[in-house]
Amino acid sequence: MPSIRKRVAVAGAAAVALTTTIAMTTAHAVTPPRAGAAGSAAAPADPTYTAAEVLAGVKKNSTAANQVNTKPHINTMTRAMNVNVYQVASGVYAYTSSMAIDDDGSDPDPDPDHQGDTTWHDSNGKALAAHHVPFYVLGDDCWDRKTPCPHFFYKEHGMSGRQFALMFYNGKVIGSIFGDTQTANNQTTSDNDSRELGEASVKAAQLLGIPSSGTTGGVDNGVTVVMFSGPSWVVNGTNANLNANAQALVQKALDTLGAAMAGTNPPPSGTLFEAESGTLSAGGTFDSNHTGFTGTGFANPANAVGAYVDIPVTADTAGTRTLTFRYSDGTTAARPATISVNGTSHGTLNFPTTANWDTWANVSITVPLKAGANTIRIAGNSAVGDANIDSVTLSP
């Protein structure tokens, strides 16, 4: 996490071993294809998606309705406040910005801002090696000291250290992990703070063909980072193999995200609780007039601020769990909702639009549960109320 200084992009490209080429000229669609409503017989099993298709879908879904932050982030290289984060699919967040070069970690480096440690470590507890591990950098805390954070804050979105991401630049895609954080806002000696986006390790730059010097490298814009939240997307390994482990997940991530953006999301694995087992506030109904739902129907809460559905869930033991809501929103605007557990609010979760009311998607949030019975409330934050809620799945 070096302090900010002017970096000059140098012509030329570094070696790009272990990098998947996007093949922009041969992609046969510019948005995720093969789509049909959930359950459509025309949708093939386990489709394979190209990086070009997925990147096009990410750009298509990076709309104001899907924007997570309410205040713009600072582009690390240019200092312009013009970087936004979008929820492009269930539990998947994307931004496009610069790449400044982070050389922190266990590898020695002549950069005067080099620090020997990183915020996150490998599976053996060793500081990550910026010259060996492709990692990206996020804000250390919520600079604004508000909940939910007006800037994208990873702790509010089911993310932790070594969280997997796809990184796209200039016809290439690589796998990367969350490895370091920007300097906290109470450390006033640095120009960096948690509002910034656009920094990644030496290795990430090398794989993408970006000049990788910590003092003169980097690029001002055009790098798209797509972050996958949840414990199943945390990459394990050591400095010796974290790069290989991250690259091994690239095609899986492309296929998972491609299918999600095409609207073919099934419920995730875990213990499923149907929304129709719950209760609705006044004016809401349990319906079955749209296809693709599980169980006997879905919850259609009233169109009003605060309209809610309460869903009972049972946890074997107390602890932090991921709740994944299967929903549809066939309108043109996302429907944010407050998620409460046993009467305590745990922040706002965005429910982005889906292709239509017969298309279902998943969004997730991590919350504490008590052992035994719990009540999950999804309460709409706008005059149109909640999205249609099919179910909630409980997973570790």
Side-chain angles (χ1 to χ4, degrees), residues 171-364:
K172 302 179 180 68
V173 62
I174 66 168
S176 182
I177 64 172
F178 180 18
D180 207 1
T181 58
Q182 296 282 11
T183 304
N185 67 327
N186 60 351
Q187 294 175 274
T188 56
T189 58
S190 173
D191 291 330
N192 283 345
D193 62 43
S194 59
R195 294 170 291 180
E196 292 185 20
L197 282 175
E199 191 169 1
S201 69
V202 173
K203 185 65 175 181
Q206 290 174 343
L207 293 177
L208 289 171
I210 293 171
S212 60
S213 166
T215 54
T216 62
V219 66
D220 282 352
N221 218 319
V223 179
T224 298
V225 180
V226 183
M227 302 168 288
F228 290 69
S229 67
S232 65
W233 288 99
V234 173
V235 183
N236 295 314
T238 67
N239 280 307
N241 59 21
L242 273 169
N243 178 38
N245 293 350
Q247 305 321 314
L249 288 173
V250 168
Q251 191 59 54
K252 175 184 175 182
L254 292 172
D255 294 344
T256 299
L257 182 52
M261 292 188 297
T264 58
N265 286 12
S269 59
T271 305
L272 187 149
F273 299 89
E274 295 288 352
E276 62 267 29
S277 68
T279 57
L280 288 157
S281 58
T285 57
F286 292 112
D287 296 335
S288 58
N289 59 324
H290 295 293
T291 63
F293 58 82
T294 60
T296 60
F298 54 87
N300 179 8
N303 295 334
V305 174
Y308 64 82
V309 56
D310 284 343
I311 306 176
V313 305
T314 303
D316 292 338
T317 59
T320 300
R321 301 288 190 274
T322 297
L323 301 178
T324 300
F325 301 95
R326 190 168 189 258
Y327 76 96
S328 66
D329 175 11
T331 68
T332 58
R335 299 194 177 196
T338 298
I339 308 301
S340 300
V341 178
N342 302 322
T344 300
S345 171
H346 290 278
T348 299
L349 185 62
N350 201 40
F351 291 75
T353 58
T354 54
N356 50 53
W357 291 108
D358 298 315
T359 299
W360 301 88
N362 300 313
V363 292
S364 300

Side-chain angles (χ1 to χ4, degrees), residues 3-265:
S3 61
I4 283 299
R5 57 193 177 277
K6 179 65 178 176
R7 296 172 171 87
V8 180
V10 179
V16 291
L18 293 174
T19 303
T20 303
T21 301
I22 292 186
M24 290 292 187
T25 58
T26 59
H28 53 270
V30 295
T31 57
R34 323 160 205 267
S40 170
D46 300 323
T48 297
Y49 289 84
T50 69
E53 290 169 344
V54 171
L55 181 58
V58 167
K59 291 179 177 179
K60 179 183 177 183
N61 286 355
S62 295
T63 63
N66 296 337
Q67 186 172 316
V68 176
N69 58 300
T70 56
K71 291 184 178 180
H73 288 262
I74 300 168
N75 182 315
T76 300
M77 291 286 280
T78 67
R79 315 306 298 157
M81 297 180 67
N82 61 359
V83 180
N84 295 308
V85 181
Y86 304 93
Q87 183 175 327
V88 295
S90 170
V92 184
Y93 305 93
Y95 65 89
T96 298
S97 69
S98 61
M99 182 183 285
I101 308 305
D102 189 343
D103 56 21
D104 290 350
S106 57
D107 289 329
D109 196 281
D111 182 351
D113 291 311
H114 169 78
Q115 299 177 31
D117 202 358
T118 50
T119 302
W120 308 110
H121 296 149
D122 71 8
S123 297
N124 288 342
K126 303 295 185 182
L128 296 176
H131 292 256
H132 289 79
V133 179
F135 63 74
Y136 59 98
V137 179
L138 297 176
D140 191 62
D141 60 4
C142 181
W143 187 91
D144 307 88
R145 294 293 187 261
K146 294 180 180 179
T147 301
C149 189
H151 295 96
F152 178 82
F153 182 36
Y154 69 91
K155 288 184 179 179
E156 294 180 341
H157 299 286
M159 296 182 63
S160 62
R162 303 198 309 274
Q163 199 79 46
F164 179 80
L166 293 169
M167 300 183 75
F168 299 83
Y169 178 71
N170 197 27
K172 302 179 180 68
V173 62
I174 66 168
S176 182
I177 64 172
F178 180 18
D180 207 1
T181 58
Q182 296 282 11
T183 304
N185 67 327
N186 60 351
Q187 294 175 274
T188 56
T189 58
S190 173
D191 291 330
N192 283 345
D193 62 43
S194 59
R195 294 170 291 180
E196 292 185 20
L197 282 175
E199 191 169 1
S201 69
V202 173
K203 185 65 175 181
Q206 290 174 343
L207 293 177
L208 289 171
I210 293 171
S212 60
S213 166
T215 54
T216 62
V219 66
D220 282 352
N221 218 319
V223 179
T224 298
V225 180
V226 183
M227 302 168 288
F228 290 69
S229 67
S232 65
W233 288 99
V234 173
V235 183
N236 295 314
T238 67
N239 280 307
N241 59 21
L242 273 169
N243 178 38
N245 293 350
Q247 305 321 314
L249 288 173
V250 168
Q251 191 59 54
K252 175 184 175 182
L254 292 172
D255 294 344
T256 299
L257 182 52
M261 292 188 297
T264 58
N265 286 12

